[in-house]
Amino acid sequence: MTLQLIRADSLSSGTAQTGGMVRTAAISGDLVGASALWMGRTVVLPGSSSGDHHHGESETGIYVVSGNPVFVYRDPASGAVIRLETEPGDYVWVPPHVPHREENPSPDEDAVVVLA
């Protein structure tokens, strides 16, 4: 195997989608032959919210590129709704099988994150 360069303009929207966001893949089994990693970019449009979803058995690392997305989930111990308000440069870890959603409270700025 060799290193592969994936240009920003070659990301693929042919990946799993959740309502309220646009997910594009950069590194996946289909695109580069990765066997244990998916990596890509997600955009949540201004004033919108994704549907509730989880990432199955995968742990997910998220890096906030721009905007102020809010990650919302229910605490399994207390049942309380938790809102993680982020800013550019922050990271979020999502454990396997944890339902959550992304919200973008901004009226005019996309929220852009990179996921692995």
Side-chain angles (χ1 to χ4, degrees), residues 18-43:
T18 300
M21 61 173 52
V22 178
R23 192 177 288 129
T24 53
I27 299 170
S28 69
D30 290 344
L31 296 173
V32 300
S35 62
L37 175 68
W38 184 99
M39 187 174 191
R41 178 178 63 206
T42 298
V43 177

mmCIF file with all atom_site columns, all heavy atoms in Angstrom, residues 18-43:
data_model
loop_
_atom_site.group_PDB
_atom_site.id
_atom_site.type_symbol
_atom_site.label_atom_id
_atom_site.label_alt_id
_atom_site.label_comp_id
_atom_site.label_asym_id
_atom_site.label_entity_id
_atom_site.label_seq_id
_atom_site.pdbx_PDB_ins_code
_atom_site.Cartn_x
_atom_site.Cartn_y
_atom_site.Cartn_z
_atom_site.occupancy
_atom_site.B_iso_or_equiv
_atom_site.pdbx_formal_charge
_atom_site.auth_seq_id
_atom_site.auth_comp_id
_atom_site.auth_asym_id
_atom_site.auth_atom_id
_atom_site.pdbx_PDB_model_num
ATOM 1   N N   . THR A 1 18 ? -27.530 11.661 7.325  1.00 0.00 ? 18 THR A N   1
ATOM 2   C CA  . THR A 1 18 ? -28.519 11.902 8.372  1.00 0.00 ? 18 THR A CA  1
ATOM 3   C C   . THR A 1 18 ? -29.184 13.218 8.036  1.00 0.00 ? 18 THR A C   1
ATOM 4   O O   . THR A 1 18 ? -28.497 14.186 7.705  1.00 0.00 ? 18 THR A O   1
ATOM 5   C CB  . THR A 1 18 ? -27.843 11.987 9.760  1.00 0.00 ? 18 THR A CB  1
ATOM 6   O OG1 . THR A 1 18 ? -27.164 10.759 10.026 1.00 0.00 ? 18 THR A OG1 1
ATOM 7   C CG2 . THR A 1 18 ? -28.864 12.241 10.855 1.00 0.00 ? 18 THR A CG2 1
ATOM 8   N N   . GLY A 1 19 ? -30.506 13.268 8.123  1.00 0.00 ? 19 GLY A N   1
ATOM 9   C CA  . GLY A 1 19 ? -31.222 14.497 7.806  1.00 0.00 ? 19 GLY A CA  1
ATOM 10  C C   . GLY A 1 19 ? -30.678 15.687 8.574  1.00 0.00 ? 19 GLY A C   1
ATOM 11  O O   . GLY A 1 19 ? -30.277 15.566 9.722  1.00 0.00 ? 19 GLY A O   1
ATOM 12  N N   . GLY A 1 20 ? -30.666 16.864 7.936  1.00 0.00 ? 20 GLY A N   1
ATOM 13  C CA  . GLY A 1 20 ? -30.235 18.081 8.584  1.00 0.00 ? 20 GLY A CA  1
ATOM 14  C C   . GLY A 1 20 ? -28.752 18.376 8.469  1.00 0.00 ? 20 GLY A C   1
ATOM 15  O O   . GLY A 1 20 ? -28.286 19.385 8.979  1.00 0.00 ? 20 GLY A O   1
ATOM 16  N N   . MET A 1 21 ? -28.012 17.495 7.815  1.00 0.00 ? 21 MET A N   1
ATOM 17  C CA  . MET A 1 21 ? -26.580 17.721 7.642  1.00 0.00 ? 21 MET A CA  1
ATOM 18  C C   . MET A 1 21 ? -26.148 17.127 6.311  1.00 0.00 ? 21 MET A C   1
ATOM 19  O O   . MET A 1 21 ? -26.848 16.303 5.736  1.00 0.00 ? 21 MET A O   1
ATOM 20  C CB  . MET A 1 21 ? -25.772 17.089 8.790  1.00 0.00 ? 21 MET A CB  1
ATOM 21  C CG  . MET A 1 21 ? -25.934 15.594 8.913  1.00 0.00 ? 21 MET A CG  1
ATOM 22  S SD  . MET A 1 21 ? -24.850 14.786 10.124 1.00 0.00 ? 21 MET A SD  1
ATOM 23  C CE  . MET A 1 21 ? -25.125 15.726 11.573 1.00 0.00 ? 21 MET A CE  1
ATOM 24  N N   . VAL A 1 22 ? -24.985 17.563 5.848  1.00 0.00 ? 22 VAL A N   1
ATOM 25  C CA  . VAL A 1 22 ? -24.407 17.009 4.627  1.00 0.00 ? 22 VAL A CA  1
ATOM 26  C C   . VAL A 1 22 ? -23.072 16.392 4.993  1.00 0.00 ? 22 VAL A C   1
ATOM 27  O O   . VAL A 1 22 ? -22.158 17.071 5.449  1.00 0.00 ? 22 VAL A O   1
ATOM 28  C CB  . VAL A 1 22 ? -24.208 18.112 3.558  1.00 0.00 ? 22 VAL A CB  1
ATOM 29  C CG1 . VAL A 1 22 ? -23.551 17.521 2.322  1.00 0.00 ? 22 VAL A CG1 1
ATOM 30  C CG2 . VAL A 1 22 ? -25.529 18.780 3.221  1.00 0.00 ? 22 VAL A CG2 1
ATOM 31  N N   . ARG A 1 23 ? -22.968 15.079 4.827  1.00 0.00 ? 23 ARG A N   1
ATOM 32  C CA  . ARG A 1 23 ? -21.766 14.333 5.191  1.00 0.00 ? 23 ARG A CA  1
ATOM 33  C C   . ARG A 1 23 ? -21.028 13.933 3.921  1.00 0.00 ? 23 ARG A C   1
ATOM 34  O O   . ARG A 1 23 ? -21.637 13.410 2.992  1.00 0.00 ? 23 ARG A O   1
ATOM 35  C CB  . ARG A 1 23 ? -22.183 13.099 5.988  1.00 0.00 ? 23 ARG A CB  1
ATOM 36  C CG  . ARG A 1 23 ? -21.071 12.374 6.675  1.00 0.00 ? 23 ARG A CG  1
ATOM 37  C CD  . ARG A 1 23 ? -21.593 11.189 7.502  1.00 0.00 ? 23 ARG A CD  1
ATOM 38  N NE  . ARG A 1 23 ? -22.295 11.625 8.689  1.00 0.00 ? 23 ARG A NE  1
ATOM 39  C CZ  . ARG A 1 23 ? -23.515 11.213 9.047  1.00 0.00 ? 23 ARG A CZ  1
ATOM 40  N NH1 . ARG A 1 23 ? -24.182 10.360 8.310  1.00 0.00 ? 23 ARG A NH1 1
ATOM 41  N NH2 . ARG A 1 23 ? -24.070 11.657 10.159 1.00 0.00 ? 23 ARG A NH2 1
ATOM 42  N N   . THR A 1 24 ? -19.710 14.182 3.872  1.00 0.00 ? 24 THR A N   1
ATOM 43  C CA  . THR A 1 24 ? -18.893 13.762 2.740  1.00 0.00 ? 24 THR A CA  1
ATOM 44  C C   . THR A 1 24 ? -17.698 12.964 3.250  1.00 0.00 ? 24 THR A C   1
ATOM 45  O O   . THR A 1 24 ? -17.098 13.315 4.257  1.00 0.00 ? 24 THR A O   1
ATOM 46  C CB  . THR A 1 24 ? -18.401 14.972 1.911  1.00 0.00 ? 24 THR A CB  1
ATOM 47  O OG1 . THR A 1 24 ? -17.758 15.907 2.773  1.00 0.00 ? 24 THR A OG1 1
ATOM 48  C CG2 . THR A 1 24 ? -19.549 15.645 1.185  1.00 0.00 ? 24 THR A CG2 1
ATOM 49  N N   . ALA A 1 25 ? -17.381 11.901 2.539  1.00 0.00 ? 25 ALA A N   1
ATOM 50  C CA  . ALA A 1 25 ? -16.284 11.019 2.934  1.00 0.00 ? 25 ALA A CA  1
ATOM 51  C C   . ALA A 1 25 ? -14.998 11.409 2.224  1.00 0.00 ? 25 ALA A C   1
ATOM 52  O O   . ALA A 1 25 ? -15.006 11.769 1.049  1.00 0.00 ? 25 ALA A O   1
ATOM 53  C CB  . ALA A 1 25 ? -16.635 9.573  2.601  1.00 0.00 ? 25 ALA A CB  1
ATOM 54  N N   . ALA A 1 26 ? -13.895 11.320 2.964  1.00 0.00 ? 26 ALA A N   1
ATOM 55  C CA  . ALA A 1 26 ? -12.566 11.524 2.393  1.00 0.00 ? 26 ALA A CA  1
ATOM 56  C C   . ALA A 1 26 ? -11.786 10.217 2.412  1.00 0.00 ? 26 ALA A C   1
ATOM 57  O O   . ALA A 1 26 ? -11.119 9.860  1.452  1.00 0.00 ? 26 ALA A O   1
ATOM 58  C CB  . ALA A 1 26 ? -11.808 12.596 3.172  1.00 0.00 ? 26 ALA A CB  1
ATOM 59  N N   . ILE A 1 27 ? -11.866 9.504  3.533  1.00 0.00 ? 27 ILE A N   1
ATOM 60  C CA  . ILE A 1 27 ? -11.153 8.243  3.709  1.00 0.00 ? 27 ILE A CA  1
ATOM 61  C C   . ILE A 1 27 ? -12.162 7.191  4.124  1.00 0.00 ? 27 ILE A C   1
ATOM 62  O O   . ILE A 1 27 ? -12.844 7.338  5.149  1.00 0.00 ? 27 ILE A O   1
ATOM 63  C CB  . ILE A 1 27 ? -10.054 8.376  4.778  1.00 0.00 ? 27 ILE A CB  1
ATOM 64  C CG1 . ILE A 1 27 ? -9.033  9.431  4.340  1.00 0.00 ? 27 ILE A CG1 1
ATOM 65  C CG2 . ILE A 1 27 ? -9.397  7.030  5.055  1.00 0.00 ? 27 ILE A CG2 1
ATOM 66  C CD1 . ILE A 1 27 ? -8.038  9.817  5.421  1.00 0.00 ? 27 ILE A CD1 1
ATOM 67  N N   . SER A 1 28 ? -12.290 6.144  3.320  1.00 0.00 ? 28 SER A N   1
ATOM 68  C CA  . SER A 1 28 ? -13.219 5.057  3.610  1.00 0.00 ? 28 SER A CA  1
ATOM 69  C C   . SER A 1 28 ? -12.768 3.816  2.858  1.00 0.00 ? 28 SER A C   1
ATOM 70  O O   . SER A 1 28 ? -11.844 3.885  2.039  1.00 0.00 ? 28 SER A O   1
ATOM 71  C CB  . SER A 1 28 ? -14.646 5.432  3.184  1.00 0.00 ? 28 SER A CB  1
ATOM 72  O OG  . SER A 1 28 ? -14.740 5.492  1.768  1.00 0.00 ? 28 SER A OG  1
ATOM 73  N N   . GLY A 1 29 ? -13.430 2.723  3.126  1.00 0.00 ? 29 GLY A N   1
ATOM 74  C CA  . GLY A 1 29 ? -13.108 1.499  2.397  1.00 0.00 ? 29 GLY A CA  1
ATOM 75  C C   . GLY A 1 29 ? -13.322 1.661  0.903  1.00 0.00 ? 29 GLY A C   1
ATOM 76  O O   . GLY A 1 29 ? -12.484 1.264  0.092  1.00 0.00 ? 29 GLY A O   1
ATOM 77  N N   . ASP A 1 30 ? -14.448 2.273  0.519  1.00 0.00 ? 30 ASP A N   1
ATOM 78  C CA  . ASP A 1 30 ? -14.768 2.450  -0.901 1.00 0.00 ? 30 ASP A CA  1
ATOM 79  C C   . ASP A 1 30 ? -13.798 3.386  -1.608 1.00 0.00 ? 30 ASP A C   1
ATOM 80  O O   . ASP A 1 30 ? -13.457 3.174  -2.764 1.00 0.00 ? 30 ASP A O   1
ATOM 81  C CB  . ASP A 1 30 ? -16.186 3.008  -1.067 1.00 0.00 ? 30 ASP A CB  1
ATOM 82  C CG  . ASP A 1 30 ? -17.256 2.007  -0.693 1.00 0.00 ? 30 ASP A CG  1
ATOM 83  O OD1 . ASP A 1 30 ? -16.948 0.798  -0.604 1.00 0.00 ? 30 ASP A OD1 1
ATOM 84  O OD2 . ASP A 1 30 ? -18.404 2.436  -0.485 1.00 0.00 ? 30 ASP A OD2 1
ATOM 85  N N   . LEU A 1 31 ? -13.366 4.432  -0.914 1.00 0.00 ? 31 LEU A N   1
ATOM 86  C CA  . LEU A 1 31 ? -12.556 5.457  -1.576 1.00 0.00 ? 31 LEU A CA  1
ATOM 87  C C   . LEU A 1 31 ? -11.072 5.133  -1.632 1.00 0.00 ? 31 LEU A C   1
ATOM 88  O O   . LEU A 1 31 ? -10.411 5.401  -2.641 1.00 0.00 ? 31 LEU A O   1
ATOM 89  C CB  . LEU A 1 31 ? -12.763 6.811  -0.900 1.00 0.00 ? 31 LEU A CB  1
ATOM 90  C CG  . LEU A 1 31 ? -14.176 7.379  -1.000 1.00 0.00 ? 31 LEU A CG  1
ATOM 91  C CD1 . LEU A 1 31 ? -14.304 8.635  -0.161 1.00 0.00 ? 31 LEU A CD1 1
ATOM 92  C CD2 . LEU A 1 31 ? -14.538 7.656  -2.450 1.00 0.00 ? 31 LEU A CD2 1
ATOM 93  N N   . VAL A 1 32 ? -10.517 4.600  -0.541 1.00 0.00 ? 32 VAL A N   1
ATOM 94  C CA  . VAL A 1 32 ? -9.069  4.358  -0.515 1.00 0.00 ? 32 VAL A CA  1
ATOM 95  C C   . VAL A 1 32 ? -8.695  2.952  -0.058 1.00 0.00 ? 32 VAL A C   1
ATOM 96  O O   . VAL A 1 32 ? -7.521  2.627  0.033  1.00 0.00 ? 32 VAL A O   1
ATOM 97  C CB  . VAL A 1 32 ? -8.341  5.397  0.379  1.00 0.00 ? 32 VAL A CB  1
ATOM 98  C CG1 . VAL A 1 32 ? -8.563  6.806  -0.140 1.00 0.00 ? 32 VAL A CG1 1
ATOM 99  C CG2 . VAL A 1 32 ? -8.755  5.276  1.833  1.00 0.00 ? 32 VAL A CG2 1
ATOM 100 N N   . GLY A 1 33 ? -9.696  2.143  0.296  1.00 0.00 ? 33 GLY A N   1
ATOM 101 C CA  . GLY A 1 33 ? -9.408  0.794  0.769  1.00 0.00 ? 33 GLY A CA  1
ATOM 102 C C   . GLY A 1 33 ? -9.168  0.697  2.263  1.00 0.00 ? 33 GLY A C   1
ATOM 103 O O   . GLY A 1 33 ? -8.667  -0.315 2.746  1.00 0.00 ? 33 GLY A O   1
ATOM 104 N N   . ALA A 1 34 ? -9.515  1.754  3.020  1.00 0.00 ? 34 ALA A N   1
ATOM 105 C CA  . ALA A 1 34 ? -9.335  1.720  4.484  1.00 0.00 ? 34 ALA A CA  1
ATOM 106 C C   . ALA A 1 34 ? -10.158 0.576  5.067  1.00 0.00 ? 34 ALA A C   1
ATOM 107 O O   . ALA A 1 34 ? -11.292 0.343  4.660  1.00 0.00 ? 34 ALA A O   1
ATOM 108 C CB  . ALA A 1 34 ? -9.769  3.050  5.100  1.00 0.00 ? 34 ALA A CB  1
ATOM 109 N N   . SER A 1 35 ? -9.593  -0.116 6.052  1.00 0.00 ? 35 SER A N   1
ATOM 110 C CA  . SER A 1 35 ? -10.302 -1.253 6.653  1.00 0.00 ? 35 SER A CA  1
ATOM 111 C C   . SER A 1 35 ? -10.805 -0.966 8.062  1.00 0.00 ? 35 SER A C   1
ATOM 112 O O   . SER A 1 35 ? -11.655 -1.695 8.570  1.00 0.00 ? 35 SER A O   1
ATOM 113 C CB  . SER A 1 35 ? -9.395  -2.484 6.677  1.00 0.00 ? 35 SER A CB  1
ATOM 114 O OG  . SER A 1 35 ? -8.260  -2.224 7.485  1.00 0.00 ? 35 SER A OG  1
ATOM 115 N N   . ALA A 1 36 ? -10.289 0.078  8.723  1.00 0.00 ? 36 ALA A N   1
ATOM 116 C CA  . ALA A 1 36 ? -10.705 0.338  10.102 1.00 0.00 ? 36 ALA A CA  1
ATOM 117 C C   . ALA A 1 36 ? -10.900 1.822  10.390 1.00 0.00 ? 36 ALA A C   1
ATOM 118 O O   . ALA A 1 36 ? -10.904 2.227  11.544 1.00 0.00 ? 36 ALA A O   1
ATOM 119 C CB  . ALA A 1 36 ? -9.680  -0.245 11.076 1.00 0.00 ? 36 ALA A CB  1
ATOM 120 N N   . LEU A 1 37 ? -11.049 2.635  9.335  1.00 0.00 ? 37 LEU A N   1
ATOM 121 C CA  . LEU A 1 37 ? -11.177 4.075  9.539  1.00 0.00 ? 37 LEU A CA  1
ATOM 122 C C   . LEU A 1 37 ? -12.119 4.660  8.506  1.00 0.00 ? 37 LEU A C   1
ATOM 123 O O   . LEU A 1 37 ? -12.060 4.309  7.320  1.00 0.00 ? 37 LEU A O   1
ATOM 124 C CB  . LEU A 1 37 ? -9.803  4.749  9.406  1.00 0.00 ? 37 LEU A CB  1
ATOM 125 C CG  . LEU A 1 37 ? -9.777  6.275  9.484  1.00 0.00 ? 37 LEU A CG  1
ATOM 126 C CD1 . LEU A 1 37 ? -10.133 6.748  10.895 1.00 0.00 ? 37 LEU A CD1 1
ATOM 127 C CD2 . LEU A 1 37 ? -8.406  6.803  9.091  1.00 0.00 ? 37 LEU A CD2 1
ATOM 128 N N   . TRP A 1 38 ? -12.993 5.538  8.974  1.00 0.00 ? 38 TRP A N   1
ATOM 129 C CA  . TRP A 1 38 ? -13.782 6.406  8.104  1.00 0.00 ? 38 TRP A CA  1
ATOM 130 C C   . TRP A 1 38 ? -13.468 7.819  8.553  1.00 0.00 ? 38 TRP A C   1
ATOM 131 O O   . TRP A 1 38 ? -13.451 8.109  9.755  1.00 0.00 ? 38 TRP A O   1
ATOM 132 C CB  . TRP A 1 38 ? -15.280 6.129  8.259  1.00 0.00 ? 38 TRP A CB  1
ATOM 133 C CG  . TRP A 1 38 ? -16.123 6.930  7.310  1.00 0.00 ? 38 TRP A CG  1
ATOM 134 C CD1 . TRP A 1 38 ? -16.648 6.480  6.126  1.00 0.00 ? 38 TRP A CD1 1
ATOM 135 C CD2 . TRP A 1 38 ? -16.556 8.296  7.431  1.00 0.00 ? 38 TRP A CD2 1
ATOM 136 N NE1 . TRP A 1 38 ? -17.345 7.482  5.502  1.00 0.00 ? 38 TRP A NE1 1
ATOM 137 C CE2 . TRP A 1 38 ? -17.310 8.619  6.287  1.00 0.00 ? 38 TRP A CE2 1
ATOM 138 C CE3 . TRP A 1 38 ? -16.356 9.292  8.379  1.00 0.00 ? 38 TRP A CE3 1
ATOM 139 C CZ2 . TRP A 1 38 ? -17.875 9.872  6.078  1.00 0.00 ? 38 TRP A CZ2 1
ATOM 140 C CZ3 . TRP A 1 38 ? -16.909 10.545 8.178  1.00 0.00 ? 38 TRP A CZ3 1
ATOM 141 C CH2 . TRP A 1 38 ? -17.662 10.817 7.035  1.00 0.00 ? 38 TRP A CH2 1
ATOM 142 N N   . MET A 1 39 ? -13.223 8.714  7.611  1.00 0.00 ? 39 MET A N   1
ATOM 143 C CA  . MET A 1 39 ? -12.955 10.106 7.950  1.00 0.00 ? 39 MET A CA  1
ATOM 144 C C   . MET A 1 39 ? -13.582 10.983 6.891  1.00 0.00 ? 39 MET A C   1
ATOM 145 O O   . MET A 1 39 ? -13.548 10.660 5.701  1.00 0.00 ? 39 MET A O   1
ATOM 146 C CB  . MET A 1 39 ? -11.455 10.366 8.023  1.00 0.00 ? 39 MET A CB  1
ATOM 147 C CG  . MET A 1 39 ? -11.086 11.729 8.531  1.00 0.00 ? 39 MET A CG  1
ATOM 148 S SD  . MET A 1 39 ? -9.283  11.833 8.746  1.00 0.00 ? 39 MET A SD  1
ATOM 149 C CE  . MET A 1 39 ? -9.186  13.365 9.637  1.00 0.00 ? 39 MET A CE  1
ATOM 150 N N   . GLY A 1 40 ? -14.173 12.073 7.346  1.00 0.00 ? 40 GLY A N   1
ATOM 151 C CA  . GLY A 1 40 ? -14.795 12.975 6.394  1.00 0.00 ? 40 GLY A CA  1
ATOM 152 C C   . GLY A 1 40 ? -15.218 14.272 7.051  1.00 0.00 ? 40 GLY A C   1
ATOM 153 O O   . GLY A 1 40 ? -14.837 14.579 8.187  1.00 0.00 ? 40 GLY A O   1
ATOM 154 N N   . ARG A 1 41 ? -16.037 15.015 6.310  1.00 0.00 ? 41 ARG A N   1
ATOM 155 C CA  . ARG A 1 41 ? -16.481 16.333 6.750  1.00 0.00 ? 41 ARG A CA  1
ATOM 156 C C   . ARG A 1 41 ? -18.008 16.352 6.807  1.00 0.00 ? 41 ARG A C   1
ATOM 157 O O   . ARG A 1 41 ? -18.673 15.762 5.969  1.00 0.00 ? 41 ARG A O   1
ATOM 158 C CB  . ARG A 1 41 ? -15.989 17.386 5.755  1.00 0.00 ? 41 ARG A CB  1
ATOM 159 C CG  . ARG A 1 41 ? -16.418 18.798 6.080  1.00 0.00 ? 41 ARG A CG  1
ATOM 160 C CD  . ARG A 1 41 ? -15.863 19.786 5.093  1.00 0.00 ? 41 ARG A CD  1
ATOM 161 N NE  . ARG A 1 41 ? -16.391 19.511 3.759  1.00 0.00 ? 41 ARG A NE  1
ATOM 162 C CZ  . ARG A 1 41 ? -15.770 19.844 2.634  1.00 0.00 ? 41 ARG A CZ  1
ATOM 163 N NH1 . ARG A 1 41 ? -14.605 20.432 2.659  1.00 0.00 ? 41 ARG A NH1 1
ATOM 164 N NH2 . ARG A 1 41 ? -16.316 19.569 1.475  1.00 0.00 ? 41 ARG A NH2 1
ATOM 165 N N   . THR A 1 42 ? -18.529 17.058 7.803  1.00 0.00 ? 42 THR A N   1
ATOM 166 C CA  . THR A 1 42 ? -19.968 17.252 7.914  1.00 0.00 ? 42 THR A CA  1
ATOM 167 C C   . THR A 1 42 ? -20.253 18.738 8.034  1.00 0.00 ? 42 THR A C   1
ATOM 168 O O   . THR A 1 42 ? -19.566 19.454 8.758  1.00 0.00 ? 42 THR A O   1
ATOM 169 C CB  . THR A 1 42 ? -20.535 16.507 9.142  1.00 0.00 ? 42 THR A CB  1
ATOM 170 O OG1 . THR A 1 42 ? -20.314 15.109 8.971  1.00 0.00 ? 42 THR A OG1 1
ATOM 171 C CG2 . THR A 1 42 ? -22.013 16.751 9.306  1.00 0.00 ? 42 THR A CG2 1
ATOM 172 N N   . VAL A 1 43 ? -21.283 19.178 7.321  1.00 0.00 ? 43 VAL A N   1
ATOM 173 C CA  . VAL A 1 43 ? -21.740 20.560 7.381  1.00 0.00 ? 43 VAL A CA  1
ATOM 174 C C   . VAL A 1 43 ? -23.174 20.562 7.886  1.00 0.00 ? 43 VAL A C   1
ATOM 175 O O   . VAL A 1 43 ? -24.033 19.854 7.347  1.00 0.00 ? 43 VAL A O   1
ATOM 176 C CB  . VAL A 1 43 ? -21.675 21.235 5.993  1.00 0.00 ? 43 VAL A CB  1
ATOM 177 C CG1 . VAL A 1 43 ? -22.223 22.658 6.058  1.00 0.00 ? 43 VAL A CG1 1
ATOM 178 C CG2 . VAL A 1 43 ? -20.246 21.216 5.461  1.00 0.00 ? 43 VAL A CG2 1
#
